[in-house]
Amino acid sequence: MTAATLPTELPELTQDDLSRYSRHLILPEVGVEGQRKLKAARVLCVGTGGLGSPLALYLAAAGVGTLGLVDFDVVDASNLQRQIIHSTADIGRKKLDSAEEKLKALNPALNVVKHDTLLSSANALDILKDYDVVADGTDNFPTRYLVNDACVLLGKPNAYGSIFRFEGQASVFGAKDGPCYRCLYPEPPPPGLVPSCAEGGVLGILPGLIGVIQATEAIKLILGVGKPLIGRLLLVDALKMRFRELRLRKNPECPVCGTHPTVTQLIDYQQFCGLESASDVPKAVKNGIPQLSVKDLKRRMDAGENLFILDVREPFEYQIANIGGKLIPQNEVPQRIGEIDRSQEIIVHCKAGGRSQRIAEFLKQSGYPNVTNLAGGILAWSDEVDPAVPKY
């Protein structure tokens, strides 16, 4: 059984602790010694969103002494369908402040350490080094690879989880003799191939299922009991309510955790995943496609310019919010390409700009001479042009 490395001197339990954690204390696998381990433990939750919400709440309730929280975002109404640590009254607040308030209300003895920053190659090692277990609740590939590599370099176990639509995954990476995230996914998918939850959606309950599994794994690692998900990938299908398990092997050729590692320091993970570096200034052209701001599109529409506005979202999205234009869902564009006027400048848009970029590149490759992507899509339009357009 692999256990997290904890201080040799464990704190004593107070009378309040004995009362609060009585249901733990009567479990032979936990007992007084185990509860003292939990009190001594320091767990870092990377993200306080869908996965981080149940993860942090259950770790706080279990008596983990110190919870570190990494986030730099603010609460949005669209978060509340799944991010249960936040409430309607928190809209517009920093997620860190909202999460700390709920966690301290649940367990006043909890020590909350807030890291109000974007986790990056420049700060990850300094932040992660002070924790016993890291729980990755992120929703993008660059940060997943960053957390994985930092955990391996520091020798910290990573209670990993990810979600998309109705399916989720969980495992423990970076443990001694166990595989890491790169052993499972040596290379990231091509940019734009896998939609984000913002584009593809997610069942609100799913991050609750996966986040609780992550919390369970973190607690087992702290206590040194049970069989953690080391060398195992748990797959969850919420629609069928089916759990499956895949065996994972440590890859001896892994560039991070293998026999002869080639990644011995953190790298530029935006570049590794084929994305613009976080330090880059946003470009007016991306992969040969001009990027148009929503404000510029509004100005050009108001001026009556001859534009062909192509909406490549799904019909149910169009019903929620639209800014005009012809609706052709992205998967139907190749079959309906004849409906798109070559003689006009084509402005392609979607919810956030990812799908529209891919379709714009397809049209350019198909011989359309004047194609532009609307940067930020409907979400940017709602933020910068017309707040009456619903965000979803």
Side-chain angles (χ1 to χ4, degrees):
M1 166 64 210
T2 299
T5 302
L6 300 174
T8 53
E9 294 291 328
L10 298 178
E12 297 295 332
L13 300 183
T14 66
Q15 189 59 48
D16 287 343
D17 292 335
L18 296 174
S19 175
R20 178 181 287 263
Y21 306 116
S22 61
R23 300 305 188 273
H24 270 176
L25 302 179
I26 58 179
L27 291 172
E29 294 83 357
V30 182
V32 171
E33 185 75 3
Q35 197 63 46
R36 293 174 66 197
K37 289 181 180 179
L38 290 170
K39 189 172 183 177
R42 298 172 60 88
V43 179
L44 181 68
C45 299
V46 184
T48 56
L51 292 170
S53 291
L55 173 62
L57 285 168
Y58 271 100
L59 291 176
V64 169
T66 298
L67 275 184
L69 308 175
V70 182
D71 213 315
F72 64 97
D73 204 359
V74 298
V75 180
D76 183 83
S78 64
N79 301 149
L80 303 181
Q81 161 253 17
R82 63 202 177 281
Q83 299 182 16
I84 59 171
I85 205 168
H86 310 297
S87 69
T88 303
D90 295 315
I91 292 173
R93 292 182 70 193
K94 282 185 172 293
K95 286 186 177 180
L96 284 181
D97 295 339
S98 168
E100 180 187 35
E101 181 181 277
K102 311 309 186 303
L103 294 169
K104 296 286 282 187
L106 176 62
N107 189 345
L110 174 68
N111 176 34
V112 177
V113 180
K114 296 185 292 184
H115 301 279
D116 187 4
T117 184
L118 173 68
L119 198 68
S120 69
S121 298
N123 61 24
L125 294 177
D126 283 339
I127 291 175
L128 270 63
K129 66 180 174 60
D130 294 327
Y131 294 91
D132 307 306
V133 178
V134 177
D136 181 5
T138 58
D139 61 355
N140 64 85
F141 289 104
T143 311
R144 286 176 190 159
Y145 281 99
L146 168 63
V147 172
N148 175 79
D149 292 1
C151 284
V152 173
L153 293 176
L154 292 169
K156 308 286 185 181
N158 171 15
Y160 158 81
S162 69
I163 52 173
F164 181 65
R165 293 185 174 169
F166 296 93
E167 298 180 349
Q169 301 179 351
S171 189
V172 173
F173 294 124
K176 185 180 180 181
D177 299 325
C180 76
Y181 183 73
R182 284 188 190 244
C183 295
L184 176 62
Y185 300 114
E187 298 288 339
L193 180 64
V194 180
S196 66
C197 287
E199 288 196 329
V202 62
L203 180 69
I205 296 168
L206 180 63
L209 288 170
I210 302 299
V212 167
I213 291 171
Q214 289 178 271
T216 305
E217 293 304 297
I219 289 172
K220 285 157 56 182
L221 290 167
I222 293 165
L223 296 176
V225 301
K227 184 180 180 182
L229 286 171
I230 298 171
R232 298 184 291 151
L233 181 70
L234 186 66
L235 303 176
V236 179
D237 182 337
L239 273 184
K240 298 177 181 176
M241 197 47 72
R242 183 173 66 174
F243 291 72
R244 294 186 297 133
E245 183 180 296
L246 300 179
R247 301 291 299 180
L248 301 179
R249 295 179 183 273
K250 186 180 180 74
N251 178 10
E253 304 299 321
C254 176
V256 180
C257 74
T259 308
H260 303 290
T262 56
V263 177
T264 56
Q265 60 185 7
L266 300 182
I267 62 175
D268 184 334
Y269 292 90
Q270 294 285 328
Q271 185 181 67
F272 175 67
C273 293
L275 305 171
E276 291 180 356
S277 173
S279 62
D280 286 347
V281 176
K283 297 178 175 63
V285 177
K286 181 178 180 181
N287 292 341
I289 302 297
Q291 305 294 301
L292 183 67
S293 74
V294 290
K295 289 182 178 179
D296 283 342
L297 175 59
K298 179 66 163 60
R299 176 182 55 77
R300 296 179 66 182
M301 290 170 67
D302 290 345
E305 292 190 25
N306 186 29
L307 305 172
F308 187 102
I309 299 174
L310 175 63
D311 187 337
V312 297
R313 298 174 300 148
E314 298 301 315
F316 68 86
E317 294 178 274
Y318 190 86
Q319 293 175 358
I320 298 171
N322 76 83
I323 58 174
K326 185 174 183 65
L327 174 67
I328 305 180
Q330 63 169 347
N331 292 335
E332 298 179 18
V333 169
Q335 292 76 38
R336 300 174 59 184
I337 197 168
E339 300 176 35
I340 302 172
D341 190 347
R342 262 176 214 274
S343 65
Q344 295 178 278
E345 179 181 357
I346 300 161
I347 310 294
V348 192
H349 78 84
C350 62
K351 179 181 179 181
R355 285 173 286 177
S356 55
Q357 174 68 24
R358 294 194 294 275
I359 294 301
E361 292 174 10
F362 168 77
L363 292 174
K364 188 76 175 286
Q365 293 166 3
S366 300
Y368 282 73
N370 197 359
V371 185
T372 300
N373 182 48
L374 183 63
I378 288 282
L379 296 180
W381 186 278
S382 179
D383 285 337
E384 302 176 32
V385 174
D386 184 4
V389 174
K391 295 173 69 175
Y392 61 96

